Amino acid sequence: MVDRNPFARRQIRTVLLLGAAAVIAVVGISISRISSEKSDDVETVVLDEPGEYQEPGIGTNRDLTGETLSAASLDTLDGDRIEASKWLDMGKPLLVNIWFSTCQPCKREMPALQDAFERYGDRIAFIGVNPHDSVRRLSDFTDEFGITYPQYRDTNSEFVVASGVATFPTTLVIGSDG
C-alpha cells in the first residue's frame, strides 16, 4: 500500500511528541512544587554555620591536613613523566591548583592565581594540575588567561585520586617538607 500523505503522518507524530513533552513538563513542575513545600517532619538544612558538618552533605574533598604530598606520577606538557615528590626539590612551600578548562569556577580564579604567582612566586612554588584536558586545550587555556606557572597533566587522575579530590577547582597548600 502506498502512503499518500507522509507529511501528515510526520505532523501527527510531531504533535504527539510535543504533547507528551508538555505533559511530562507539567508533571515535573507539580512534583517540584510538592517537594519544595515544607512539612513538619522534614528537617531543614542550614548552610550558614561555618565549620559545621551538616546532613545531608554533598561530595567533598578528603581532609588532608597533616598528610604528606601524594605519591603520584604526572605528565609534563612535553609528554615526560614526573613524580609529584619532585616538586619538593624546589625547597619552598607549594600551591597546587587542580583545575580544568570547562570548569567555570576554575576560569574565575585563574587570574587571581596568576597574580599571586607574580607576587609570591619567588617564595612559593605554584603548580597547576589538569586531570581532564588535552595538552592543546590546556595550552590554549593557559595562553588565553596568561598563566605562566608550570602546568602538569594528571591523565589517569592518579594525583587527584591519591589526594582525595572530589570537587574542582581544588587548591592544596603543601609545606616545603611535603
Side-chain angles (χ1 to χ4, degrees):
M1 180 173 172
V2 176
D3 188 359
R4 299 194 187 271
N5 197 351
F7 182 70
R9 288 185 190 269
R10 275 184 276 184
Q11 283 181 322
I12 291 170
R13 189 177 2 190
T14 302
V15 168
L16 289 173
L17 286 173
L18 289 174
V23 168
I24 291 170
V26 168
V27 169
I29 291 170
S30 297
I31 291 172
S32 174
R33 286 185 180 155
I34 292 168
S35 298
S36 66
E37 293 176 4
K38 291 185 179 180
S39 69
D40 294 334
D41 61 332
V42 176
E43 186 176 325
T44 302
V45 176
V46 179
L47 298 177
D48 62 353
E49 299 291 332
E52 298 282 330
Y53 176 75
Q54 300 176 9
E55 288 287 343
I58 58 172
T60 186
N61 298 326
R62 189 176 77 212
D63 183 4
L64 299 174
T65 305
E67 292 189 28
T68 57
L69 177 65
S70 299
S73 297
L74 295 110
D75 294 326
T76 66
L77 299 187
D78 297 327
D80 297 326
R81 296 285 288 170
I82 70 147
E83 295 297 318
S85 61
K86 293 293 270 179
W87 298 334
L88 299 174
D89 294 345
M90 295 182 216
K92 50 187 171 180
L94 303 169
L95 184 140
V96 180
N97 180 249
I98 306 166
W99 66 279
F100 59 94
S101 65
T102 56
C103 162
Q104 292 304 314
C106 301
K107 289 179 181 181
R108 289 192 298 272
E109 77 175 5
M110 279 294 183
L113 288 169
Q114 178 61 32
D115 182 54
F117 169 67
E118 291 170 5
R119 296 175 72 191
Y120 306 108
D122 58 332
R123 294 178 277 170
I124 300 170
F126 283 69
I127 306 290
V129 174
N130 185 307
H132 294 297
D133 295 317
S134 67
V135 171
R136 182 176 180 171
R137 181 64 194 127
L138 187 157
S139 296
D140 288 349
F141 183 93
T142 55
D143 289 348
E144 177 184 342
F145 284 87
I147 306 304
T148 58
Y149 53 90
Q151 300 293 320
Y152 297 89
R153 292 184 63 233
D154 189 15
T155 53
N156 296 322
S157 294
E158 186 179 334
F159 184 79
V160 167
V161 170
S163 300
V165 173
T167 62
F168 298 90
T170 292
T171 301
L172 307 174
V173 178
I174 302 162
S176 58
D177 61 353

